[in-house]
Amino acid sequence: MLDETLLDDPERLTEADRRGLLRGAAEAGARVRTAARYAAEAGVGNLKPDGRPRAVLIAGPGAAATHAADLLGTLAGAGSPVTRLAPAGVAPAAGALRWELPGWAGSVDLLLIATPEGTEPGLALLAEQAYRRGCTVVAVAPARSPLSEAVNGSHGLFIPMATAPYDHDEPLAGAAPGVLWALLTPLLALLDRTALLDAPPETLEKVADRLDRIAERCGPAIATYGNPAKTLASELADSLPVVWTEGTSAGPAGRRFAAALAELSGTPAVVAELPEALAAHSALLAGQLAAGADPDDFFRDRVEEAPALHARVVLLRDRPSGGLTAAPGARDLALGHDTPISELEPEEGGELETLAELIAITDFAAVYLALASST
């Protein structure tokens, strides 16, 4: 059950935020600026690549590396394939994970390592393996971590991660807002130098400014009725979020939102891109999860009985391809099955700015849902 009174009580929200999730979301803009500065100090801006890499490989543990790979692959497009190297192991513990380069990886490929810990022996071994194969290696991890020594020893480029003092008060969640931007920003700056995507310093500054504005709109001091993130969290209480995305950049934002809901608040969610989502989830909305599926729900004892789980569509939209939109069809399908729908659409701006806005609002919403559901 969602404690809606907590959402409008900043002091209680702060007390409940033992993992620093709200602080990470609020400080996302500052993380981008710090991470961009660290990348510049590491010499990223002075790099003179010989050309685009044949492929970009990304390795790292958990949701942070997965989302970074998804975002970079979307932004880079078909210029060079961006592939995440999934780890193998018997447990998700740092010492148990192992990564392997594909057999074809060689001197024309780029290996990116992104980790909020830097203590994984498997990543150090991967850096050494890449060095023997002739791959260029770039890593983002906490300063003075074991990985930094391994990367420097392999003649790679190490960029310190922009951390905060509270990052190590509790175990870091892979989907934590601060972690994503601390790892992603240096990689954006690097791939800008290789001409795989457009993320010069002035663009990263605009992203930081946009994140700051969202933090002002969605912060804990802003009441639910004027706060899009708190409103979305309230709407998703006791529901199955069905996340539909439209527009290239909205896709990774929706996938991250679904992952953050699961990891931070324990809320399952399904996600798909329009227009194919309409066919993929049509049966779901017509089944037992539809709001109108249980005609006896009106007579349910709302004190003694747990609420029935019903779907709620969350439509994340950015510029649709070719100006074509399936949004009217999405609304018709949802409302035709008595399924409520929430919509988010960013303000005008560059691709990175609008993507950052969608991620920021949904990050705040996932955090609020986690905090208000755990009391």
Side-chain angles (χ1 to χ4, degrees):
M1 294 290 292
L2 185 79
D3 182 359
E4 295 193 20
T5 63
L6 183 141
L7 289 179
D8 286 329
D9 191 331
E11 290 186 8
R12 289 178 60 204
L13 278 171
T14 301
E15 291 174 0
D17 187 23
R18 299 181 184 88
R19 292 182 289 176
L21 298 174
L22 270 179
R23 285 178 293 182
E27 297 172 3
R31 292 265 191 151
V32 168
R33 293 187 184 91
T34 302
R37 186 176 75 249
Y38 285 177
E41 292 171 353
V44 168
N46 298 323
L47 295 176
K48 295 181 173 57
D50 294 331
R52 292 186 176 190
R54 176 181 61 178
V56 178
L57 306 171
I58 300 183
T66 302
H67 300 154
D70 191 9
L71 289 161
L72 293 175
T74 299
L75 293 168
S80 289
V82 177
T83 303
R84 183 194 176 223
L85 301 181
V90 297
L97 297 175
R98 293 293 181 269
W99 288 262
E100 289 290 335
L101 286 176
W104 48 262
S107 59
V108 292
D109 302 309
L110 172 62
L111 172 64
L112 305 178
I113 299 176
T115 170
E117 300 293 340
T119 59
E120 302 87 352
L123 289 176
L125 294 173
L126 180 68
E128 295 171 5
Q129 182 186 12
Y131 173 64
R132 292 194 300 269
R133 296 266 201 98
C135 290
T136 301
V137 180
V138 179
V140 182
R144 295 181 294 280
S145 61
L147 181 62
S148 67
E149 300 177 6
V151 171
N152 290 329
S154 300
H155 302 282
L157 174 63
F158 180 80
I159 305 173
M161 175 183 168
T163 58
Y166 55 82
D167 275 350
H168 301 290
D169 293 345
E170 295 284 342
L172 280 172
V179 174
L180 173 69
W181 292 108
L183 295 177
L184 179 64
T185 302
L187 302 182
L188 289 169
L190 176 75
L191 295 189
D192 174 74
R193 297 299 300 163
T194 64
L196 280 180
L197 48 80
D198 186 26
E202 55 271 22
T203 295
L204 295 180
E205 183 61 32
K206 289 180 180 179
V207 168
D209 291 342
R210 180 73 66 102
L211 291 170
D212 286 344
R213 291 199 296 273
I214 298 304
E216 292 175 1
R217 289 174 54 201
C218 299
I222 306 301
T224 298
Y225 66 84
N227 188 320
K230 287 183 179 180
T231 299
L232 182 57
S234 298
E235 292 170 346
L236 293 181
D238 304 318
S239 72
L240 173 70
V242 179
V243 183
W244 291 345
T245 68
E246 184 172 59
T248 304
S249 3
R255 291 186 285 273
R256 172 174 168 79
F257 186 35
L261 286 171
E263 182 175 355
L264 301 182
S265 68
T267 302
V270 294
V271 58
E273 296 186 19
L274 294 176
E276 293 180 323
L278 303 184
H281 292 159
S282 178
L284 184 153
L285 297 186
Q288 294 300 311
L289 292 170
D294 184 5
D296 297 326
D297 184 66
F298 180 81
F299 300 100
R300 177 174 56 83
D301 186 332
R302 299 181 187 276
V303 176
E304 299 296 332
E305 298 179 27
L309 184 67
H310 294 311
R312 184 180 189 99
V313 170
V314 180
L315 178 57
L316 305 182
R317 299 183 64 211
D318 201 359
R319 293 172 294 248
S321 178
L324 300 174
T325 178
R331 298 183 190 104
D332 290 344
L333 178 62
L335 299 177
H337 290 295
D338 296 322
T339 300
I341 183 169
S342 304
E343 296 190 38
L344 289 178
E345 187 171 345
E347 297 177 3
E348 290 294 323
E351 186 175 27
L352 258 178
E353 293 174 73
T354 57
L355 176 58
E357 179 172 334
L358 288 175
I359 290 175
I361 295 176
T362 52
D363 273 354
F364 266 108
V367 170
Y368 284 129
L369 189 60
L371 297 179
S373 300
S374 61
T375 55

